[in-house]
Amino acid sequence: MNILQTLTAGLALALSVSAGVAAQSQQTEQQPVDTNPGIFLGGTASVGFEQLPDNAIKFITDNFAYKQINKCEKDYPEGSFEVELRDGTEINFAPDGTWTEIDAADNTTLPETLLKKILNTKAYDELVKRGYVNLVENVERTASGGMKIELDKIVIDEIIFDINGTVVAVIED
């Protein structure tokens, strides 16, 4: 091999190594720096319907069988779940599959048949008596075991019931 060939081969090798280092450097710069290796801070992940707890699957199939599932997500680190139906209804579940909140799709209310199943009799009867049973857009379980009910299109925005179905608060809009 003569000197010209040796210099050409050496230059080609140097350019190749230099390009590889530059590419590696560029890739490294684009990737975020992991300041907490091994520590997962939380977030959500998509899960299949069949990965929901049995109680959640049963609740959905019993009460929303006619609606299609749009997405199922699991929240970490709590382990709770959120299911969104194709019509926009959202249902939140505790890790054991007990529903914690049901939010009607935009510009709709929750069906009276569902409310009759999920509310205790006294709370349901109170909504019927006040004429609000067809205005419920959100039901949320409270930490004390009661229910917080959000209403649509009237002066009263929320009614909060205790675990026995007694009205404990009425919040006006």
Side-chain angles (χ1 to χ4, degrees):
M1 190 185 283
N2 67 27
I3 284 201
L4 186 57
Q5 288 176 327
T6 305
L7 285 175
T8 303
L11 182 58
L13 179 62
L15 286 174
S16 172
V17 169
S18 174
V21 169
Q24 178 66 31
S25 170
Q26 189 176 20
Q27 285 178 343
T28 303
E29 290 173 20
Q30 292 175 353
Q31 295 178 359
V33 176
D34 187 0
T35 58
N36 294 313
I39 298 174
F40 181 67
L41 298 177
T44 61
S46 290
V47 296
F49 180 73
E50 67 283 347
Q51 293 174 292
L52 295 173
D54 291 341
N55 290 341
I57 291 172
K58 181 170 177 25
F59 183 81
I60 292 169
T61 55
D62 287 353
N63 297 292
F64 298 97
Y66 57 93
K67 297 191 179 186
Q68 294 180 336
I69 304 294
N70 192 36
K71 70 177 177 178
C72 299
E73 292 181 335
K74 184 173 183 177
D75 293 325
Y76 294 95
E78 301 89 18
S80 59
F81 296 88
E82 181 180 320
V83 175
E84 182 182 303
L85 304 179
R86 182 77 32 103
D87 73 349
T89 299
E90 293 180 0
I91 310 163
N92 295 336
F93 295 96
D96 69 355
T98 304
W99 71 269
T100 57
E101 183 174 8
I102 306 169
D103 191 31
D106 290 344
N107 302 313
T108 65
T109 57
L110 295 173
E112 182 178 350
T113 54
L114 174 66
L115 296 173
K116 192 169 189 166
K117 288 181 184 179
I118 65 173
L119 298 176
N120 73 28
T121 303
K122 189 173 179 182
Y124 175 79
D125 290 346
E126 185 68 28
L127 288 175
V128 170
K129 181 176 98 181
R130 291 176 182 239
Y132 299 158
V133 75
N134 292 314
L135 299 173
V136 177
E137 58 183 23
N138 181 287
V139 178
E140 181 179 352
R141 290 184 195 264
T142 64
S144 64
M147 301 282 176
K148 180 174 122 180
I149 310 288
E150 288 183 28
L151 302 173
D152 183 38
K153 300 177 185 165
I154 60 170
V155 175
I156 295 174
D157 190 43
E158 294 178 358
I159 299 176
I160 300 174
F161 296 93
D162 68 12
I163 196 166
N164 299 315
T166 304
V167 174
V168 293
V170 175
I171 301 169
E172 295 186 7
D173 199 13

